[in-house]
Amino acid sequence: MSNLLDTTQTKHYQLQTLCGWPVHMDTTCQKSDNKDIVQAFKKDLGHALNHIPPLARKKLLDCHCAIWVNQSFRYGPRESPEVCRHLCFHPDDEWLVENKMHPLKKECVELYDLGYYCQSDRHFWGTGGVLIHELSHAYHHLCIPNAYGNQEILDCYRQAMAEGLYDEVAVHGPAGPTAKAYACKNA
């Protein structure tokens, strides 16, 4: 797999504290023409953190759940790399290492394309909404006993599916105005 892009060598980050949260900012985001989008991200992060209960914020910080922010991000074969746009939570380092990504992103949230985020993701989810969503994945994995195997949560999920509670919900974007909830696919 030597033909894979090695982002551990090509991507450089600067650790910052934004709104009291550790953020590894891609150094290319620091260009002066990116000031507005960095400020928009900072506003969203502050809004998101203000809507996460203080104890949950503290637990996530105690688990060292940082946010990694990229100007842009590509991975995979050099000849035809994947271009990443959205955000995700990395629950472990196995996939990261296999794809030559920094293993320190384990148990952290990653924003792959800051410009795209400011143009698209943040508008669909509302101010800070997608950050709350990804930090919720982090909380579920890092702070809930037995994480994704937690029996009480699995039982509630199965009951909600059996009752059809998420068969038709309001959604943003081209799938709307209503559709089967994303949560139904993400079990």
Side-chain angles (χ1 to χ4, degrees), residues 89-142:
F89 169 69
H90 298 293
D92 59 50
D93 61 1
E94 183 178 335
W95 183 85
L96 292 165
V97 171
E98 285 174 7
N99 288 282
K100 294 198 172 199
M101 295 183 196
H102 209 299
L104 288 178
K105 294 177 180 180
K106 171 187 174 183
E107 298 181 343
C108 295
V109 170
E110 185 162 24
L111 189 163
Y112 287 115
D113 186 326
L114 185 58
Y116 183 83
Y117 168 81
C118 288
Q119 293 169 8
S120 179
D121 283 342
R122 71 188 295 248
H123 299 293
F124 281 128
W125 293 75
T127 306
V130 71
L131 293 169
I132 292 172
H133 174 89
E134 294 303 333
L135 288 168
S136 295
H137 285 301
Y139 187 86
H140 189 171
H141 178 76
L142 298 169

Side-chain angles (χ1 to χ4, degrees), residues 18 25 29 33-45 69-72 84-87 110-131:
L18 298 178
M25 187 74 70
C29 292
D33 57 339
N34 288 333
K35 262 187 194 167
D36 290 343
I37 61 174
V38 170
Q39 280 305 111
F41 168 75
K42 186 176 177 182
K43 176 184 174 187
D44 281 8
L45 179 60
V69 178
N70 298 280
Q71 176 70 30
S72 63
C84 301
R85 294 266 186 235
H86 302 286
L87 293 90
E110 185 162 24
L111 189 163
Y112 287 115
D113 186 326
L114 185 58
Y116 183 83
Y117 168 81
C118 288
Q119 293 169 8
S120 179
D121 283 342
R122 71 188 295 248
H123 299 293
F124 281 128
W125 293 75
T127 306
V130 71
L131 293 169

Side-chain angles (χ1 to χ4, degrees), residues 142-157:
L142 298 169
C143 304
I144 299 291
N146 203 20
Y148 300 126
N150 182 286
Q151 196 58 53
E152 185 177 358
I153 292 174
L154 289 171
D155 290 345
C156 289
Y157 175 82

